[in-house]
Amino acid sequence: MSVVNEKKYSKQLMFTDESQNSSLQLPIDEIVDNDRRGFLKRTGVATIAAMVGTSIPFQHNLPIGFVPAALAQGNILSGKDGLTLLNDRPVNAETPPELLDDGITPTNRHFIRNNGIPPEDIDPKTWTLTIDGFVDNPMTLTIADLRDQFDVVTMALTLECGGNGRGFFNPPAKGNQWTYGAVACSNWTGVRLKDVLKKAGVQSTVIYTAHYGADGHLSGDPDKLPISRGIPIEKAMTENVLIAFEMNGDALHPMNGAPLRLVVPGWPASTAQKWLKRIELRDQVHDGPKMTGKAYRVPAYKVSPGQDVPEEDFVIIERMPVKSLVTFPANDSNVGLQSDVRGHAWSGDRTVDKVEISIDFGATWMQAELDKPVNSGAWQNWRANVRFPQSGYYEVWARATDNEGVMQPFAIDWNPKGYLNNTMHRVGLRVS
Ligand SMILES: Nc1nc2c(c(=O)[nH]1)N[C@H]1C(S)=C(S)[C@@H](COP(=O)(O)O)O[C@H]1N2
Ligand SMILES: [Mo]
């Protein structure tokens, strides 16, 4: 019964699309360009059949321009490899730990965390960034201006979502159920935020930044922002906070903020505004969407699981805690009696001094070989060679200790929104 209505509805929507009458013979990469309602902008039945790889017996029932469900996910994650889709609207996808094995995360393995709808049809040539608020010289710069007027630097920088590990909270916290893979360390090229702010002339009253991007609110309301966060001016003026226009030597991936974004290593990646359009300097803490209430905030004190905490007792998350990941071998895999084990470790704004692993459920620990960060803000790679005493089931546990002597905990400090889960990573292995 609803099929007919749905068809009418879809046709109505299609008639608002100017490109509906174009040729049926477009190459596939031109037609795989669906909008958020699930309609292809330009296509015909023949090309849809080509895309799904077979004929469509009920093609006469197919609403014009409809995106076949079998293709929808592939489109969303195009340019990504092996990511787990947690949500398609907004798009949220994480990387399984074993696909984070590279020292520098390739773009196709960098997680995606969107709060809204990314902008379409971006043009890097006309894109501008405005710096305003409490500055002596408000400026609007193109990406070419940024390249010309400031030092261009490339740094490996770790981005981790504040909610990484949320899936393991009990009682559960609402939101994307991230497990391990909302973290990455890509090579970012751009200019230092501090250089740009200096040129704009930071006034003495400034205490905080406010970041604005070009993505739209899920409701479609143009007056609402999906997210606008900021950082204290002291953090903004550090060496490794970048306004980036390249990721791993190429343009940014559309889902990772193309053509311009902030990269704020060591802090919740929510501060790293994608599709960056404007940075405002403020004489007070920023109060944009996802700065207040319980968003990216935790109780100022330890609470018991499930405890109701009044909002005024929440504080903004600043640096991310010490953490490590085992990226080889994969969980639930088979290995021989002797095996390499490796991964990464990081601690926001600090360095990691030591990574230890255990194969006997935490009774004894051996120290792994640990690299220095390639630059400040990069995660550190570690490795060990492990000899298992006999065949059977083992778990490799990893724990990092940072340069302030803080070690990853075994159990989680629960908080209402499920942030900052830095418990030890465990990987189960069958040894034979
Ligand atoms: N404009 C904009 N910037 C954003 C977001 C967003 O939804 N919109 N998400 C933030 C969050 S919560 C995270 S964890 C990081 C994720 O960056 P990535 O998608 O490139 O991995 O982007 C941040 N920057
Ligand atoms: Mo995030």
Side-chain angles (χ1 to χ4, degrees):
M1 138 229 127
S2 67
V3 173
V4 173
N5 292 339
E6 212 178 296
K7 239 173 123 178
K8 269 192 198 143
Y9 177 61
S10 53
K11 283 197 175 132
Q12 267 168 11
L13 288 175
M14 279 311 293
F15 290 147
T16 65
D17 186 338
E18 306 159 356
S19 52
Q20 46 143 336
N21 53 0
S22 30
S23 142
L24 303 184
Q25 260 75 53
L26 287 166
I28 287 196
D29 52 352
E30 253 183 87
I31 52 173
V32 183
D33 180 16
N34 60 308
D35 67 16
R36 347 184 225 292
R37 298 172 309 233
F39 295 90
L40 291 165
K41 283 188 176 153
R42 307 174 282 273
T43 192
V45 166
T47 42
I48 291 183
M51 285 157 65
V52 297
T54 183
S55 65
I56 306 176
F58 290 119
Q59 59 167 259
H60 51 280
N61 289 335
L62 195 66
I64 294 168
F66 210 73
V67 179
L71 299 177
Q73 169 158 344
N75 290 346
I76 286 172
L77 295 182
S78 89
K80 297 289 175 181
D81 177 32
L83 270 59
T84 310
L85 189 67
L86 302 182
N87 189 358
D88 62 359
R89 195 172 190 278
V91 178
N92 283 281
E94 69 171 333
T95 315
E98 64 272 18
L99 296 186
L100 286 172
D101 196 36
D102 302 86
I104 299 292
T105 311
T107 301
N108 63 4
R109 299 273 165 82
H110 198 287
F111 72 102
I112 303 171
R113 197 291 185 243
N114 292 347
N115 290 268
I117 306 298
E120 279 168 31
D121 305 324
I122 56 119
D123 180 359
K125 289 198 198 69
T126 56
W127 191 271
T128 56
L129 170 65
T130 296
I131 313 288
D132 62 6
F134 289 85
V135 291
D136 296 331
N137 324 297
M139 317 185 289
T140 293
L141 303 156
T142 62
I143 295 173
D145 294 336
L146 289 171
R147 283 186 185 272
D148 291 349
Q149 296 175 23
F150 304 95
D151 258 5
V152 173
V153 295
T154 297
M155 299 179 94
L157 301 169
T158 308
L159 283 181
E160 183 179 20
C161 178
N164 196 22
R166 175 181 293 136
F168 304 113
F169 277 80
N170 195 14
K174 282 202 201 108
N176 290 294
Q177 298 299 300
W178 304 107
T179 64
Y180 301 105
V183 62
C185 182
S186 288
N187 261 323
W188 300 95
T189 299
V191 299
R192 293 187 190 89
L193 174 60
K194 108 179 154 129
D195 293 347
V196 176
L197 295 185
K198 269 192 190 151
K199 182 148 191 197
V202 180
Q203 295 180 356
S204 62
T205 49
V206 170
I207 65 162
Y208 226 84
T209 62
H211 315 149
Y212 299 90
D215 44 341
H217 194 268
L218 285 177
S219 64
D221 181 344
D223 296 330
K224 280 192 181 162
L225 301 174
I227 185 170
S228 171
R229 293 180 40 81
I231 49 177
I233 190 67
E234 296 76 30
K235 173 68 180 171
M237 299 306 276
T238 53
E239 286 295 315
N240 57 19
V241 177
L242 300 188
I243 302 172
F245 33 72
E246 279 178 28
M247 177 177 192
N248 297 315
D250 282 312
L252 303 186
H253 184 281
M255 291 291 167
N256 300 119
L260 196 66
R261 77 171 300 169
L262 277 170
V263 181
V264 184
W267 282 43
S270 51
T271 57
Q273 197 83 28
K274 300 192 282 189
W275 310 291
L276 182 69
K277 289 298 297 174
R278 176 181 171 218
I279 298 171
E280 178 197 12
L281 295 194
R282 294 171 55 101
D283 63 352
Q284 48 192 289
V285 175
H286 187 35
D287 54 3
K290 307 268 160 114
M291 280 303 297
T292 56
K294 296 180 180 174
Y296 301 105
R297 306 207 313 160
V298 288
Y301 41 83
K302 276 190 199 245
V303 302
S304 44
Q307 188 179 328
D308 196 20
V309 185
E311 258 179 33
E312 59 269 24
D313 290 355
F314 281 68
V315 293
I316 297 171
I317 299 169
E318 299 205 323
R319 52 174 295 276
M320 293 294 289
V322 61
K323 194 164 174 179
S324 63
L325 202 57
V326 180
T327 58
F328 184 88
N331 184 38
D332 202 16
S333 59
N334 301 304
V335 297
L337 282 171
Q338 188 155 1
S339 176
D340 287 334
V341 174
R342 58 178 179 261
H344 318 291
W346 61 95
S347 182
D349 292 345
R350 298 181 184 171
T351 53
V352 172
D353 267 2
K354 186 166 73 170
V355 171
E356 297 160 292
I357 59 171
S358 174
I359 58 166
D360 55 8
F361 303 107
T364 61
W365 295 84
M366 69 176 270
Q367 206 162 324
E369 180 187 289
L370 174 68
D371 295 344
K372 293 202 162 61
V374 292
N375 52 249
S376 91
W379 67 19
Q380 293 166 248
N381 304 313
W382 60 264
R383 67 202 65 77
N385 188 265
V386 177
R387 180 177 279 286
F388 298 94
Q390 61 187 81
S391 54
Y393 177 80
Y394 293 83
E395 289 188 6
V396 172
W397 294 4
R399 68 181 191 197
T401 304
D402 72 21
N403 63 349
E404 303 267 326
V406 180
M407 189 178 76
Q408 283 181 260
F410 183 76
I412 309 173
D413 276 337
W414 186 90
N415 64 81
K417 291 275 281 172
Y419 294 123
L420 304 177
N421 183 353
N422 67 332
T423 50
M424 299 172 197
H425 186 202
R426 299 159 49 196
V427 163
L429 298 177
R430 260 171 261 95
V431 173
S432 57

